[in-house]
mmCIF file of all heavy atoms in Angstrom:
data_model
loop_
_atom_site.group_PDB
_atom_site.id
_atom_site.type_symbol
_atom_site.label_atom_id
_atom_site.label_comp_id
_atom_site.label_asym_id
_atom_site.label_seq_id
_atom_site.Cartn_x
_atom_site.Cartn_y
_atom_site.Cartn_z
ATOM 1 N N ILE Q 66 58.197 143.998 160.353
ATOM 2 C CA ILE Q 66 57.414 143.897 159.112
ATOM 3 C C ILE Q 66 58.202 144.499 157.951
ATOM 4 O O ILE Q 66 58.318 143.912 156.874
ATOM 5 C CB ILE Q 66 56.055 144.618 159.262
ATOM 6 C CG1 ILE Q 66 55.146 143.826 160.187
ATOM 7 C CG2 ILE Q 66 55.388 144.827 157.903
ATOM 8 C CD1 ILE Q 66 53.841 144.499 160.505
ATOM 9 N N LEU Q 67 58.774 145.661 158.200
ATOM 10 C CA LEU Q 67 59.510 146.347 157.133
ATOM 11 C C LEU Q 67 60.774 145.584 156.734
ATOM 12 O O LEU Q 67 61.010 145.326 155.549
ATOM 13 C CB LEU Q 67 59.887 147.763 157.606
ATOM 14 C CG LEU Q 67 60.657 148.599 156.583
ATOM 15 C CD1 LEU Q 67 59.744 149.020 155.448
ATOM 16 C CD2 LEU Q 67 61.281 149.830 157.236
ATOM 17 N N LEU Q 68 61.556 145.184 157.755
ATOM 18 C CA LEU Q 68 62.877 144.624 157.458
ATOM 19 C C LEU Q 68 62.866 143.120 157.217
ATOM 20 O O LEU Q 68 63.704 142.605 156.492
ATOM 21 C CB LEU Q 68 63.857 144.961 158.585
ATOM 22 C CG LEU Q 68 64.090 146.460 158.813
ATOM 23 C CD1 LEU Q 68 65.060 146.685 159.953
ATOM 24 C CD2 LEU Q 68 64.589 147.141 157.539
ATOM 25 N N GLU Q 69 61.923 142.405 157.835
ATOM 26 C CA GLU Q 69 61.944 140.958 157.710
ATOM 27 C C GLU Q 69 60.954 140.433 156.670
ATOM 28 O O GLU Q 69 61.063 139.304 156.218
ATOM 29 C CB GLU Q 69 61.645 140.294 159.066
ATOM 30 C CG GLU Q 69 62.660 140.597 160.147
ATOM 31 C CD GLU Q 69 64.045 140.121 159.762
ATOM 32 O OE1 GLU Q 69 64.146 139.061 159.116
ATOM 33 O OE2 GLU Q 69 65.014 140.835 160.076
ATOM 34 N N ILE Q 70 59.943 141.207 156.330
ATOM 35 C CA ILE Q 70 58.955 140.725 155.356
ATOM 36 C C ILE Q 70 59.011 141.527 154.070
ATOM 37 O O ILE Q 70 59.187 140.982 152.989
ATOM 38 C CB ILE Q 70 57.531 140.754 155.960
ATOM 39 C CG1 ILE Q 70 57.463 139.806 157.160
ATOM 40 C CG2 ILE Q 70 56.503 140.345 154.907
ATOM 41 C CD1 ILE Q 70 56.129 139.757 157.841
ATOM 42 N N ARG Q 71 58.897 142.863 154.190
ATOM 43 C CA ARG Q 71 58.804 143.650 152.957
ATOM 44 C C ARG Q 71 60.133 143.805 152.236
ATOM 45 O O ARG Q 71 60.200 143.634 151.026
ATOM 46 C CB ARG Q 71 58.224 145.027 153.264
ATOM 47 C CG ARG Q 71 56.748 144.965 153.567
ATOM 48 C CD ARG Q 71 56.141 146.342 153.583
ATOM 49 N NE ARG Q 71 54.824 146.294 154.206
ATOM 50 C CZ ARG Q 71 54.158 147.383 154.575
ATOM 51 N NH1 ARG Q 71 54.677 148.579 154.401
ATOM 52 N NH2 ARG Q 71 52.970 147.267 155.123
ATOM 53 N N LEU Q 72 61.196 144.119 152.994
ATOM 54 C CA LEU Q 72 62.463 144.379 152.318
ATOM 55 C C LEU Q 72 62.983 143.165 151.541
ATOM 56 O O LEU Q 72 63.310 143.283 150.361
ATOM 57 C CB LEU Q 72 63.501 144.911 153.312
ATOM 58 C CG LEU Q 72 64.812 145.393 152.689
ATOM 59 C CD1 LEU Q 72 64.557 146.449 151.623
ATOM 60 C CD2 LEU Q 72 65.758 145.949 153.745
ATOM 61 N N PRO Q 73 63.030 141.975 152.173
ATOM 62 C CA PRO Q 73 63.484 140.821 151.365
ATOM 63 C C PRO Q 73 62.580 140.589 150.156
ATOM 64 O O PRO Q 73 63.049 140.224 149.077
ATOM 65 C CB PRO Q 73 63.420 139.638 152.337
ATOM 66 C CG PRO Q 73 62.715 140.106 153.545
ATOM 67 C CD PRO Q 73 62.808 141.601 153.581
ATOM 68 N N ARG Q 74 61.292 140.830 150.346
ATOM 69 C CA ARG Q 74 60.368 140.604 149.238
ATOM 70 C C ARG Q 74 60.628 141.575 148.095
ATOM 71 O O ARG Q 74 60.652 141.181 146.930
ATOM 72 C CB ARG Q 74 58.930 140.740 149.739
ATOM 73 C CG ARG Q 74 57.905 140.495 148.667
ATOM 74 C CD ARG Q 74 56.544 140.248 149.271
ATOM 75 N NE ARG Q 74 55.568 139.957 148.221
ATOM 76 C CZ ARG Q 74 54.379 139.453 148.442
ATOM 77 N NH1 ARG Q 74 54.023 139.160 149.663
ATOM 78 N NH2 ARG Q 74 53.547 139.220 147.460
ATOM 79 N N VAL Q 75 60.827 142.843 148.437
ATOM 80 C CA VAL Q 75 61.083 143.841 147.393
ATOM 81 C C VAL Q 75 62.401 143.538 146.676
ATOM 82 O O VAL Q 75 62.489 143.600 145.449
ATOM 83 C CB VAL Q 75 61.093 145.258 147.994
ATOM 84 C CG1 VAL Q 75 61.570 146.273 146.972
ATOM 85 C CG2 VAL Q 75 59.708 145.636 148.489
ATOM 86 N N LEU Q 76 63.424 143.175 147.456
ATOM 87 C CA LEU Q 76 64.720 142.843 146.846
ATOM 88 C C LEU Q 76 64.569 141.673 145.887
ATOM 89 O O LEU Q 76 65.002 141.730 144.733
ATOM 90 C CB LEU Q 76 65.739 142.471 147.934
ATOM 91 C CG LEU Q 76 66.313 143.618 148.763
ATOM 92 C CD1 LEU Q 76 67.217 143.071 149.853
ATOM 93 C CD2 LEU Q 76 67.074 144.585 147.861
ATOM 94 N N LEU Q 77 63.923 140.612 146.360
ATOM 95 C CA LEU Q 77 63.788 139.420 145.538
ATOM 96 C C LEU Q 77 62.937 139.714 144.298
ATOM 97 O O LEU Q 77 63.257 139.282 143.188
ATOM 98 C CB LEU Q 77 63.163 138.284 146.352
ATOM 99 C CG LEU Q 77 63.287 136.901 145.704
ATOM 100 C CD1 LEU Q 77 64.739 136.458 145.710
ATOM 101 C CD2 LEU Q 77 62.437 135.875 146.435
ATOM 102 N N THR Q 78 61.871 140.481 144.496
ATOM 103 C CA THR Q 78 61.011 140.829 143.370
ATOM 104 C C THR Q 78 61.795 141.589 142.310
ATOM 105 O O THR Q 78 61.670 141.319 141.112
ATOM 106 C CB THR Q 78 59.831 141.692 143.846
ATOM 107 O OG1 THR Q 78 59.181 141.013 144.913
ATOM 108 C CG2 THR Q 78 58.843 141.924 142.735
ATOM 109 N N GLY Q 79 62.620 142.535 142.746
ATOM 110 C CA GLY Q 79 63.433 143.288 141.803
ATOM 111 C C GLY Q 79 64.364 142.379 141.021
ATOM 112 O O GLY Q 79 64.483 142.481 139.799
ATOM 113 N N ILE Q 80 65.008 141.443 141.734
ATOM 114 C CA ILE Q 80 65.938 140.533 141.070
ATOM 115 C C ILE Q 80 65.194 139.654 140.058
ATOM 116 O O ILE Q 80 65.650 139.454 138.927
ATOM 117 C CB ILE Q 80 66.660 139.653 142.117
ATOM 118 C CG1 ILE Q 80 67.543 140.521 143.011
ATOM 119 C CG2 ILE Q 80 67.483 138.577 141.430
ATOM 120 C CD1 ILE Q 80 68.022 139.819 144.270
ATOM 121 N N VAL Q 81 64.032 139.143 140.472
ATOM 122 C CA VAL Q 81 63.258 138.273 139.580
ATOM 123 C C VAL Q 81 62.806 139.038 138.340
ATOM 124 O O VAL Q 81 62.950 138.561 137.209
ATOM 125 C CB VAL Q 81 62.034 137.689 140.330
ATOM 126 C CG1 VAL Q 81 61.078 137.001 139.360
ATOM 127 C CG2 VAL Q 81 62.487 136.690 141.385
ATOM 128 N N GLY Q 82 62.287 140.253 138.545
ATOM 129 C CA GLY Q 82 61.844 141.062 137.406
ATOM 130 C C GLY Q 82 62.985 141.342 136.451
ATOM 131 O O GLY Q 82 62.861 141.232 135.227
#
Side-chain angles (χ1 to χ4, degrees):
Chain Q
I66 289 175
L67 180 72
L68 299 179
E69 298 300 324
I70 297 179
R71 287 192 195 168
L72 188 55
R74 181 164 182 166
V75 171
L76 285 176
L77 194 69
T78 307
I80 295 166
V81 169

